[in-house]
Amino acid sequence: QLGISPDTHIVLYDDMGNMDASRLYWELKKLQHNKVNILDGGTVAWILKGFKVTQALPQRPTKTIYPQPTMHLTDKLTADKKDIRKALKDPSILLIDARSHAEYVGNPKQKRSGHIPGAIFFEWSLAVDTENGFRQVESEKLLTYLKTLGIADKNQPIIAYCNSAHRASRTISMLDSLGFTQVKLYDGSMQEYAIDNSLPLTLGENP
């Protein structure tokens, strides 16, 4: 409908630190759409640099056919509840919680609150430099900080989650840009996990 073909070079952006853009980036990666980038800083950095913006509607390109790919990467890039159950028993699989600190710590007054046992807290916005036009924090700084959390092996299996998988998508695109190769997004995230009373949750600061 948008005139996009597999050969179209797509540049994604938003004004939310590229949280929404990262979600679409992940969806396009599943389709193996290789020509896709995220505009660092999105419209915030664009406007601060003095580049032009418009309120005029774009001329719609000619509709085309986007063929269903013969192969997709859904299984490689997506984690489900079965993968999370495996991660609970396998310490070699790293879980990252991209929600807020309050969500991670949880509320003991709530029946189902806290984080998945073993998950490391890395709020998605830690990747965003709000003092620099919402651009991504410099790679070396991110890698140094991740190392303090025990996230250093770029080939280690990693699963990121949040509440609805949007914030975790930003963590996914960050890790992808830093060269991490075995990263999955738990698409169901806490909206799926927390309603399953058979799955454990942990309260507090510690993983």
Side-chain angles (χ1 to χ4, degrees):
Q1 295 296 315
L2 298 176
I4 295 173
S5 74
D7 295 324
T8 303
H9 187 176
I10 301 174
V11 180
L12 308 172
Y13 67 88
D14 60 38
D15 60 358
M16 296 279 294
N18 280 329
M19 178 174 63
D20 292 334
S22 293
R23 174 71 188 201
L24 182 53
Y25 173 80
W26 176 76
E27 295 286 357
L28 289 169
K29 282 193 67 178
K30 290 195 299 181
L31 295 176
Q32 296 195 91
H33 193 109
N34 294 319
K35 296 180 180 180
V36 55
N37 295 100
I38 297 176
L39 177 63
D40 193 16
T43 51
V44 177
W46 180 268
I47 292 171
L48 289 175
K49 287 286 187 179
F51 296 133
K52 292 182 179 180
V53 293
T54 180
Q55 294 181 341
L57 294 176
Q59 181 179 357
R60 293 187 177 276
T62 304
K63 295 179 182 179
T64 186
I65 295 175
Y66 196 105
Q68 183 173 343
T70 55
M71 293 183 62
H72 58 81
L73 299 179
T74 302
D75 292 338
K76 180 180 179 179
L77 300 177
T78 308
D80 56 21
K81 196 156 53 172
K82 181 175 67 176
D83 295 311
I84 300 300
R85 289 184 184 275
K86 181 180 178 182
L88 288 170
K89 299 177 181 178
D90 186 350
S92 69
I93 302 174
L94 184 64
L95 294 170
I96 296 179
D97 190 318
R99 298 175 299 160
S100 68
H101 181 261
E103 290 172 298
Y104 179 83
V105 172
N107 185 345
K109 295 183 179 180
Q110 297 178 0
K111 289 184 178 180
R112 297 283 291 167
S113 182
H115 56 273
I116 299 176
I120 293 174
F121 172 64
F122 183 91
E123 187 173 355
W124 73 277
S125 60
L126 292 173
V128 180
D129 188 349
T130 57
E131 301 298 320
N132 187 27
F134 279 50
R135 295 169 64 93
Q136 182 164 289
V137 174
E138 293 179 5
S139 295
E140 288 304 315
K141 289 183 179 180
L142 284 173
L143 288 168
T144 299
Y145 182 66
L146 289 171
K147 190 174 182 180
T148 67
L149 300 177
I151 308 172
D153 183 356
K154 293 185 177 181
N155 296 314
Q156 181 179 14
I158 297 174
I159 300 174
Y161 72 89
C162 55
N163 188 49
S164 64
H166 279 78
R167 288 174 287 179
S169 296
R170 183 63 185 86
T171 303
I172 293 288
S173 66
M174 175 202 73
L175 292 170
D176 190 45
S177 73
L178 295 175
F180 287 82
T181 62
Q182 303 293 324
V183 184
K184 289 186 175 184
L185 176 67
Y186 179 24
D187 199 12
S189 280
M190 292 301 284
Q191 286 190 358
E192 176 183 66
Y193 186 94
I195 63 174
D196 188 338
N197 292 325
S198 71
L199 294 172
L201 283 167
T202 297
L203 294 169
E205 302 273 356
N206 296 325

